[in-house]
Amino acid sequence: MKLTVVGCSGSFPSAESACSSYLVEADGFRLLLDMGNGALGELQRHCGLYDLDAIFLSHLHADHCIDMCAYFVARYYRHEGGRCAPLPVFGPEGTEHRLTTAYADTPSASSMSEVFDFHTVKPSTFEIGPFTVHTERVAHPVEAYAIRIEHGGRSLTYSGDTGVTPVLDELARDTDLFLCEAAFTHGKESIPDLHLNGREAGETATRAGARRLVLTHIPPWTDPQVNLTDARAVYAGPAELAVSGRTYEI
Ligand SMILES: [Zn+2]
Ligand SMILES: [Zn+2]
């Protein structure tokens, strides 16, 4: 599998990065995880506008899904070749309604489903193209999912947005790359069931036995180096910060 960080800024975009969006590729199949603010522009650095094969939305906060409205325009009003065929989109209950409402002026209430084929995510195991994926509900104010993606004996686990939860320890068990949010800073912000801090991300990686940790979703007002230091204090494996445009072979 190849992972490309399309955007990794937490909560709102930074000067260096769009919000959450990660491209996962294997066997020529392209699965995008989340499409937050600014992600659609960055995505075009890494693949063609119409070259995605499926999209997974971890939850419906704007910083994870709002560029789907822009992508609707690109697919619905495509200039050459006509309207795009529906692209599989996996998201929580209400994804189509959320995006239609956010767009505010779709030609009809069902226009989104002309270019997106919506599938409702529940905690389960299923196939997306060549990937076997496991989804679990995590601890966040809205229905939110973490996802484990397996291919060719390797695995990638993405936390989405979450507070501390044993569910994530289990989902990320022995995973090869753990892409984990660390939006908060230890000793600074502490709101249960919202976000992890760097230390909690490191502790989760340790409990899970994750082989590599990549911290992501760090907002522009937070010092990422502090969160990375906090994670390294409690996690002995390789740990680093996600950077927009960086790729990983898993
Ligand atoms: Zn978020
Ligand atoms: Zn969120």
Side-chain angles (χ1 to χ4, degrees):
M1 277 185 283
K2 180 184 175 189
L3 165 68
T4 301
V5 177
V6 176
C8 58
S9 189
S11 304
F12 57 96
S14 71
E16 291 79 32
S17 179
C19 282
S20 295
S21 195
Y22 310 93
L23 182 62
V24 184
E25 298 171 83
D27 299 347
F29 191 95
R30 295 185 180 89
L31 168 64
L32 190 73
L33 309 178
D34 286 342
M35 198 188 272
N37 320 55
L40 186 61
E42 286 298 315
L43 178 66
Q44 293 168 76
R45 297 179 190 269
H46 308 293
C47 83
L49 189 56
Y50 302 112
D51 291 344
L52 293 177
D53 295 294
I55 297 173
F56 170 85
L57 301 175
S58 66
H59 64 299
L60 300 177
H61 279 156
D63 59 319
H64 295 257
C65 73
I66 205 65
D67 266 25
M68 288 291 289
C69 290
Y71 197 36
F72 167 78
V73 175
R75 296 184 68 83
Y76 195 87
Y77 299 104
R78 181 165 62 162
H79 271 196
E80 287 183 19
R83 191 161 296 160
C84 294
L87 180 73
V89 174
F90 299 84
E93 186 84 50
T95 296
E96 180 177 5
H97 178 71
R98 165 78 172 100
L99 297 175
T100 300
T101 304
Y103 190 90
D105 190 30
T106 50
S108 83
S110 61
S111 296
M112 283 274 175
S113 61
E114 291 183 50
V115 293
F116 298 126
D117 179 18
F118 292 100
H119 300 264
T120 301
V121 171
K122 294 290 173 196
S124 65
T125 299
F126 54 101
E127 311 289 322
I128 302 178
F131 304 110
T132 299
V133 308
H134 308 269
T135 51
E136 286 291 354
R137 182 91 186 256
V138 287
H140 205 53
V142 298
E143 185 177 345
Y145 291 90
I147 185 169
R148 179 185 178 111
I149 300 165
E150 297 178 345
H151 180 268
R154 309 285 283 178
S155 70
L156 157 69
T157 303
Y158 168 49
S159 66
D161 281 8
T162 184
V164 175
T165 170
V167 163
L168 191 55
D169 300 357
E170 208 45 57
L171 192 70
R173 182 71 57 206
D174 300 325
T175 197
D176 292 293
L177 191 150
F178 184 25
L179 181 62
C180 187
E181 76 120 290
F184 284 168
T185 297
H186 178 61
K188 195 171 139 202
E189 300 122 323
S190 180
I191 303 169
D193 300 333
L194 185 58
H195 289 299
L196 298 169
N197 61 40
R199 184 182 180 91
E200 290 165 339
E203 288 170 342
T204 302
T206 296
R207 286 193 299 269
R211 299 198 171 93
R212 183 176 189 179
L213 174 63
V214 178
L215 297 181
T216 192
H217 198 284
I218 298 178
W221 54 44
T222 294
D223 183 344
Q225 292 302 331
V226 172
N227 288 12
L228 180 60
T229 300
D230 289 347
R232 284 177 170 161
V234 294
Y235 173 69
E240 64 192 283
L241 296 167
V243 177
S244 178
R246 189 165 291 172
T247 62
Y248 301 85
E249 293 293 339
I250 302 169

